[in-house]
PDB file of all heavy atoms in Angstrom:
ATOM      1  N   ALA I 409      16.764 -22.278 -23.464  1.00  0.00           N
ATOM      2  CA  ALA I 409      16.291 -23.593 -22.973  1.00  0.00           C
ATOM      3  C   ALA I 409      15.419 -23.373 -21.672  1.00  0.00           C
ATOM      4  O   ALA I 409      14.456 -24.087 -21.524  1.00  0.00           O
ATOM      5  CB  ALA I 409      17.459 -24.537 -22.735  1.00  0.00           C
ATOM      6  N   ALA I 410      15.870 -22.472 -20.841  1.00  0.00           N
ATOM      7  CA  ALA I 410      15.099 -22.174 -19.681  1.00  0.00           C
ATOM      8  C   ALA I 410      13.681 -21.671 -20.055  1.00  0.00           C
ATOM      9  O   ALA I 410      12.620 -22.052 -19.458  1.00  0.00           O
ATOM     10  CB  ALA I 410      15.754 -21.106 -18.780  1.00  0.00           C
ATOM     11  N   LEU I 411      13.642 -20.839 -21.113  1.00  0.00           N
ATOM     12  CA  LEU I 411      12.339 -20.379 -21.547  1.00  0.00           C
ATOM     13  C   LEU I 411      11.505 -21.519 -22.145  1.00  0.00           C
ATOM     14  O   LEU I 411      10.263 -21.639 -21.811  1.00  0.00           O
ATOM     15  CB  LEU I 411      12.612 -19.319 -22.674  1.00  0.00           C
ATOM     16  CG  LEU I 411      11.290 -18.604 -23.150  1.00  0.00           C
ATOM     17  CD1 LEU I 411      10.605 -17.914 -22.004  1.00  0.00           C
ATOM     18  CD2 LEU I 411      11.754 -17.568 -24.267  1.00  0.00           C
ATOM     19  N   VAL I 412      12.153 -22.377 -22.944  1.00  0.00           N
ATOM     20  CA  VAL I 412      11.482 -23.561 -23.411  1.00  0.00           C
ATOM     21  C   VAL I 412      10.844 -24.369 -22.308  1.00  0.00           C
ATOM     22  O   VAL I 412       9.677 -24.789 -22.334  1.00  0.00           O
ATOM     23  CB  VAL I 412      12.415 -24.380 -24.324  1.00  0.00           C
ATOM     24  CG1 VAL I 412      11.728 -25.731 -24.687  1.00  0.00           C
ATOM     25  CG2 VAL I 412      12.784 -23.684 -25.527  1.00  0.00           C
ATOM     26  N   LEU I 413      11.678 -24.604 -21.304  1.00  0.00           N
ATOM     27  CA  LEU I 413      11.235 -25.402 -20.203  1.00  0.00           C
ATOM     28  C   LEU I 413      10.018 -24.811 -19.508  1.00  0.00           C
ATOM     29  O   LEU I 413       9.054 -25.489 -19.172  1.00  0.00           O
ATOM     30  CB  LEU I 413      12.396 -25.653 -19.204  1.00  0.00           C
ATOM     31  CG  LEU I 413      12.168 -26.512 -18.046  1.00  0.00           C
ATOM     32  CD1 LEU I 413      11.665 -27.815 -18.426  1.00  0.00           C
ATOM     33  CD2 LEU I 413      13.455 -26.676 -17.236  1.00  0.00           C
ATOM     34  N   THR I 414      10.100 -23.482 -19.296  1.00  0.00           N
ATOM     35  CA  THR I 414       8.956 -22.819 -18.627  1.00  0.00           C
ATOM     36  C   THR I 414       7.652 -22.944 -19.504  1.00  0.00           C
ATOM     37  O   THR I 414       6.651 -23.273 -18.907  1.00  0.00           O
ATOM     38  CB  THR I 414       9.246 -21.318 -18.479  1.00  0.00           C
ATOM     39  OG1 THR I 414      10.621 -21.140 -18.114  1.00  0.00           O
ATOM     40  CG2 THR I 414       8.382 -20.635 -17.469  1.00  0.00           C
ATOM     41  N   ARG I 415       7.819 -22.735 -20.791  1.00  0.00           N
ATOM     42  CA  ARG I 415       6.651 -22.880 -21.645  1.00  0.00           C
ATOM     43  C   ARG I 415       6.102 -24.201 -21.597  1.00  0.00           C
ATOM     44  O   ARG I 415       4.884 -24.434 -21.557  1.00  0.00           O
ATOM     45  CB  ARG I 415       7.057 -22.543 -23.078  1.00  0.00           C
ATOM     46  CG  ARG I 415       7.490 -21.115 -23.340  1.00  0.00           C
ATOM     47  CD  ARG I 415       6.352 -20.211 -23.728  1.00  0.00           C
ATOM     48  NE  ARG I 415       6.777 -18.892 -23.975  1.00  0.00           N
ATOM     49  CZ  ARG I 415       7.046 -18.360 -25.091  1.00  0.00           C
ATOM     50  NH1 ARG I 415       6.856 -19.062 -26.224  1.00  0.00           N
ATOM     51  NH2 ARG I 415       7.420 -17.096 -25.265  1.00  0.00           N
ATOM     52  N   LEU I 416       7.026 -25.234 -21.694  1.00  0.00           N
ATOM     53  CA  LEU I 416       6.547 -26.618 -21.635  1.00  0.00           C
ATOM     54  C   LEU I 416       5.768 -26.909 -20.393  1.00  0.00           C
ATOM     55  O   LEU I 416       4.654 -27.530 -20.384  1.00  0.00           O
ATOM     56  CB  LEU I 416       7.742 -27.599 -21.737  1.00  0.00           C
ATOM     57  CG  LEU I 416       8.404 -27.724 -23.129  1.00  0.00           C
ATOM     58  CD1 LEU I 416       9.576 -28.624 -23.007  1.00  0.00           C
ATOM     59  CD2 LEU I 416       7.429 -28.172 -24.146  1.00  0.00           C
ATOM     60  N   ARG I 417       6.330 -26.470 -19.281  1.00  0.00           N
ATOM     61  CA  ARG I 417       5.639 -26.709 -18.004  1.00  0.00           C
ATOM     62  C   ARG I 417       4.260 -26.099 -17.967  1.00  0.00           C
ATOM     63  O   ARG I 417       3.308 -26.614 -17.482  1.00  0.00           O
ATOM     64  CB  ARG I 417       6.453 -26.212 -16.820  1.00  0.00           C
ATOM     65  CG  ARG I 417       7.661 -26.993 -16.549  1.00  0.00           C
ATOM     66  CD  ARG I 417       8.377 -26.350 -15.275  1.00  0.00           C
ATOM     67  NE  ARG I 417       7.616 -26.259 -14.209  1.00  0.00           N
ATOM     68  CZ  ARG I 417       7.491 -27.208 -13.203  1.00  0.00           C
ATOM     69  NH1 ARG I 417       8.297 -28.270 -13.312  1.00  0.00           N
ATOM     70  NH2 ARG I 417       6.728 -27.096 -12.192  1.00  0.00           N
ATOM     71  N   GLN I 418       4.202 -24.898 -18.558  1.00  0.00           N
ATOM     72  CA  GLN I 418       2.905 -24.251 -18.628  1.00  0.00           C
ATOM     73  C   GLN I 418       1.927 -25.009 -19.402  1.00  0.00           C
ATOM     74  O   GLN I 418       0.757 -25.240 -18.991  1.00  0.00           O
ATOM     75  CB  GLN I 418       3.048 -22.796 -19.144  1.00  0.00           C
ATOM     76  CG  GLN I 418       3.349 -21.785 -18.089  1.00  0.00           C
ATOM     77  CD  GLN I 418       3.822 -20.508 -18.735  1.00  0.00           C
ATOM     78  OE1 GLN I 418       3.764 -20.299 -19.932  1.00  0.00           O
ATOM     79  NE2 GLN I 418       4.410 -19.631 -17.848  1.00  0.00           N
ATOM     80  N   SER I 419       2.348 -25.412 -20.632  1.00  0.00           N
ATOM     81  CA  SER I 419       1.339 -25.991 -21.509  1.00  0.00           C
ATOM     82  C   SER I 419       1.007 -27.420 -21.052  1.00  0.00           C
ATOM     83  O   SER I 419      -0.030 -27.912 -21.376  1.00  0.00           O
ATOM     84  CB  SER I 419       1.785 -26.003 -22.951  1.00  0.00           C
ATOM     85  OG  SER I 419       3.044 -26.592 -23.078  1.00  0.00           O
ATOM     86  N   LEU I 420       1.896 -28.022 -20.274  1.00  0.00           N
ATOM     87  CA  LEU I 420       1.511 -29.359 -19.737  1.00  0.00           C
ATOM     88  C   LEU I 420       0.755 -29.225 -18.466  1.00  0.00           C
ATOM     89  O   LEU I 420       0.401 -30.210 -17.871  1.00  0.00           O
ATOM     90  CB  LEU I 420       2.814 -30.197 -19.484  1.00  0.00           C
ATOM     91  CG  LEU I 420       3.533 -30.671 -20.708  1.00  0.00           C
ATOM     92  CD1 LEU I 420       4.940 -31.204 -20.326  1.00  0.00           C
ATOM     93  CD2 LEU I 420       2.768 -31.668 -21.448  1.00  0.00           C
ATOM     94  N   GLN I 421       0.616 -27.981 -17.975  1.00  0.00           N
ATOM     95  CA  GLN I 421      -0.155 -27.711 -16.789  1.00  0.00           C
ATOM     96  C   GLN I 421       0.384 -28.493 -15.619  1.00  0.00           C
ATOM     97  O   GLN I 421      -0.399 -29.090 -14.880  1.00  0.00           O
ATOM     98  CB  GLN I 421      -1.644 -28.031 -17.023  1.00  0.00           C
ATOM     99  CG  GLN I 421      -2.269 -27.008 -17.898  1.00  0.00           C
ATOM    100  CD  GLN I 421      -3.526 -27.476 -18.556  1.00  0.00           C
ATOM    101  OE1 GLN I 421      -3.838 -28.690 -18.403  1.00  0.00           O
ATOM    102  NE2 GLN I 421      -4.158 -26.698 -19.263  1.00  0.00           N
ATOM    103  N   ILE I 422       1.700 -28.453 -15.426  1.00  0.00           N
ATOM    104  CA  ILE I 422       2.276 -29.057 -14.283  1.00  0.00           C
ATOM    105  C   ILE I 422       1.891 -28.194 -13.089  1.00  0.00           C
ATOM    106  O   ILE I 422       2.060 -26.948 -13.096  1.00  0.00           O
ATOM    107  CB  ILE I 422       3.771 -29.204 -14.448  1.00  0.00           C
ATOM    108  CG1 ILE I 422       4.034 -30.232 -15.534  1.00  0.00           C
ATOM    109  CG2 ILE I 422       4.499 -29.590 -13.146  1.00  0.00           C
ATOM    110  CD1 ILE I 422       5.439 -30.452 -15.894  1.00  0.00           C
ATOM    111  N   SER I 423       1.391 -28.835 -12.023  1.00  0.00           N
ATOM    112  CA  SER I 423       0.651 -28.138 -11.069  1.00  0.00           C
ATOM    113  C   SER I 423       1.523 -27.137 -10.300  1.00  0.00           C
ATOM    114  O   SER I 423       1.093 -26.039 -10.013  1.00  0.00           O
ATOM    115  CB  SER I 423      -0.010 -29.114 -10.122  1.00  0.00           C
ATOM    116  OG  SER I 423       0.913 -29.927  -9.576  1.00  0.00           O
TER     117      SER I 423
END
Side-chain angles (χ1 to χ4, degrees):
Chain I
L411 185 58
V412 170
L413 184 52
T414 319
R415 297 266 180 99
L416 287 178
R417 287 179 60 93
Q418 270 164 13
S419 58
L420 290 169
Q421 288 157 355
I422 291 176
S423 55

